[in-house]
Amino acid sequence: MSDLTDRLTQALPDGAVVVDPDVTAAYRHDMAGFCAAGQPAVVVFPETVEQVQHVLRTATELRVPVVPQGARTGLSGAANAVDGCIVLSLVKLNRILEIDPVNRIAVVEPGVVNAELSRAVEELGLSYPPDPSSWESCTIGGNIGTGAGGLCCVKYGVTSEYVLGLDVVLADGRLVSTGRRTAKGVAGYDLTRLFVGSEGTLGVVVRAVLALRPAPAPQLALAAEFPSAQTAGAAVCEVMARGLTPSLMELMDAVSVRAVNELGRMGLPESTQALLLVAFDGPDRVAELARVARLCREAGATEVVPAEDQAESDLLLAARRMALPALDRLGTTMIDDVAVPRSRLAEMLDGVAVIAERHGLTIGVVSHAGDGNTHPIVIFDASDEEQAARAKRSFDEIMALGLELGGTITGEHGVGLLKRDWLARELGPVALDLQRQLKAVFDPLGILNPGKMI
């Protein structure tokens, strides 16, 4: 331990190496439940790329595991410490290095908070579209590590589609640059995409070149109430089949609607079994919203409430933003993340309801309906061991249901510890073996975020 701290402090500033167990304990885990977390030997806070390289060289020489961390807002246990590790916190590498409006790129360090980048580029009439729900606190490095998504993925896509290039410190301390600054480029294997979503198991991202887009117009939204998941799912399918491209399309089940009513007094009818929120930000948003309103009514909506302006749109969308806090009030929450084909969305919601009834639990579902990404939220009493066991079984059954419907175990939260066993089931033995071989190429000693993903 003393050798490790002595070696680390040689090239790190005062206060950058923390060994106080009362402090290091705060960096043991992210926001996921049911995930083991070890006790780190040390937490380090580098401020430069060179300092990150020093940490990795030291870790390689001493054979010490390294767990990279951002803001620890993740929901898969990917940032959880292992016993005796170096927790490498990147929150102090937090500079926006460049914003180039001509080439529509930003160059940032990993500790930059998503919302701070969004506000900085907005001043130049640009946008950085990936918008995780935790965008006010999550970091770009964390978003890259997990391949994060957000509410507007239906139109704008996920993080991987905006990462053009990366600077990455490898396990032995070498620095590699991948990708490009140009609008297009196909030179060599796409190592950039390989690092995105790798959860710090292949290298430590220290700089990113991100694509920007012109800032969209304000969103105009509507809320449609449905008597069943089936009718709401039919509306989603019709919207997409007609070639419409909403900027947001979110679906809340009856449990979520009731929880929001209780917290925010939204006045939604208790008979509502599914609430669909749809928004457009294009030049024809008024006409497009009118088309969606008609499609919702034809699919069986009992009520459709279109907004007249942005203020009313914000009020309608507040219900979706309120869903997670509202469900959190009901007990301990275990947030799932399963994506299915849009055409199977209703089956997923109905299947989760059956699972909830079978285990005697409350499970609310909020969905990025436009891309089929569902978030079943299992609510239970963590102090009740038997109930916690039922919650874990329901989680596994939800995973299995998603795969049965042709989906994937994670659309945006990542694998981490929480879904490691399920990843093996989804990939199959051949693909899993290839992934392990890739891991060995980049990290032959296995010191980078060990035990995560594969």
Side-chain angles (χ1 to χ4, degrees):
M1 175 67 173
S2 60
D3 188 25
L4 173 62
T5 55
D6 288 346
R7 294 279 292 278
L8 289 172
T9 54
Q10 288 174 10
L12 292 173
D14 291 343
V17 180
V18 179
V19 296
D20 183 342
D22 291 334
V23 177
T24 60
Y27 291 85
R28 293 181 61 229
H29 56 80
D30 61 17
M31 297 179 68
F34 288 110
C35 291
Q39 180 62 53
V42 60
V43 179
V44 297
F45 298 90
E47 299 175 8
T48 67
V49 173
E50 292 75 19
Q51 290 171 11
V52 174
Q53 290 181 274
H54 170 69
V55 173
L56 270 296
R57 289 192 200 101
T58 301
T60 290
E61 291 168 9
L62 300 180
R63 304 298 196 267
V64 179
V66 178
V67 177
Q69 286 185 353
R72 292 176 290 117
T73 58
L75 293 163
S76 69
N80 284 18
V82 297
D83 286 333
C85 75
I86 299 170
V87 163
L88 178 59
S89 176
L90 299 161
V91 295
K92 292 192 176 181
L93 275 80
N94 58 3
R95 295 177 300 163
I96 298 175
L97 301 172
E98 179 185 355
I99 299 174
D100 181 344
V102 174
N103 293 303
R104 293 183 181 173
I105 60 171
V107 183
V108 305
E109 292 181 326
V112 171
V113 172
N114 185 297
E116 292 177 358
L117 174 61
S118 295
R119 294 186 183 111
V121 302
E122 186 178 22
E123 295 177 4
L124 299 174
L126 298 169
S127 71
Y128 177 66
D131 61 339
S133 296
S134 58
W135 77 304
E136 289 283 4
S137 55
C138 65
T139 61
I140 295 297
N143 294 169
I144 292 170
T146 59
L151 299 184
C152 293
C153 294
V154 58
K155 181 174 182 179
Y156 294 105
V158 295
T159 297
S160 61
E161 296 169 60
Y162 294 87
V163 182
L164 299 178
L166 295 171
D167 285 356
V168 182
V169 177
L170 301 177
D172 59 8
R174 289 179 297 163
L175 182 67
V176 61
S177 295
T178 74
R180 63 193 195 277
R181 292 172 60 99
T182 53
K184 58 184 179 180
V186 291
Y189 296 122
D190 193 346
L191 296 181
T192 303
R193 282 291 187 107
L194 185 59
F195 283 114
V196 177
S198 65
E199 300 180 8
T201 62
L202 302 180
V204 178
V205 172
V206 290
R207 192 168 295 152
V209 181
L210 305 174
L212 304 176
R213 298 287 183 265
Q219 293 190 113
L220 196 62
L222 67 73
E225 300 165 12
F226 289 88
S228 68
Q230 288 293 332
T231 52
V236 170
C237 292
E238 278 299 304
V239 169
M240 302 308 293
R242 298 299 180 93
L244 293 162
T245 307
S247 57
L248 174 148
M249 187 154 60
E250 298 288 302
L251 183 61
M252 298 165 57
D253 73 346
V255 173
S256 303
V257 169
R258 286 195 295 271
V260 167
N261 262 346
E262 291 172 8
L263 176 62
R265 303 186 185 280
M266 300 294 289
L268 299 170
E270 291 297 319
S271 59
T272 299
Q273 296 301 302
L275 180 69
L276 183 64
L277 302 164
V278 184
F280 289 88
D281 60 8
D284 299 322
R285 55 190 181 276
V286 174
E288 289 173 321
L289 212 61
R291 288 184 65 190
V292 169
R294 185 178 67 255
L295 292 173
C296 286
R297 292 189 183 98
E298 291 172 356
T302 54
E303 186 74 25
V304 179
V305 181
E308 296 292 334
D309 53 31
Q310 186 182 358
E312 287 189 13
S313 294
D314 291 343
L315 186 61
L316 290 177
L317 298 179
R320 171 61 179 87
R321 298 188 188 99
M322 203 181 295
L324 291 181
L327 291 166
D328 276 338
R329 295 171 68 244
L330 304 181
T332 301
T333 56
M334 187 177 187
I335 302 175
D336 213 329
D337 164 39
V338 182
V340 296
R342 298 183 192 103
S343 57
R344 315 288 305 263
L345 186 60
E347 292 175 77
M348 184 68 189
L349 267 64
D350 285 342
V352 170
V354 170
I355 291 169
E357 183 176 0
R358 179 161 58 241
H359 292 285
L361 295 168
T362 298
I363 304 179
V365 184
V366 292
S367 309
H368 307 315
D371 53 32
N373 195 174
T374 69
H375 294 303
I377 301 164
V378 183
I379 300 162
F380 62 101
D381 181 355
S383 65
D384 184 331
E385 291 186 8
E386 191 274 334
Q387 193 173 130
R390 279 189 278 130
K392 180 63 171 64
R393 288 196 297 272
S394 71
F395 176 90
D396 287 338
E397 290 182 17
I398 291 168
M399 293 286 101
L401 174 63
L403 293 179
E404 288 169 12
L405 295 175
T408 176
I409 60 168
T410 176
E412 58 188 4
H413 291 173
V415 176
L417 288 170
L418 192 62
K419 300 183 179 181
R420 181 181 174 184
D421 293 341
W422 282 99
L423 179 66
R425 299 193 200 188
E426 178 172 336
L427 293 180
V430 176
L432 185 64
D433 182 59
L434 288 172
Q435 298 220 4
R436 287 173 173 159
Q437 290 182 53
L438 282 170
K439 164 73 169 171
V441 168
F442 286 89
D443 180 22
L445 298 178
I447 65 170
L448 286 178
N449 214 3
K452 313 298 168 54
M453 290 188 66
I454 57 175

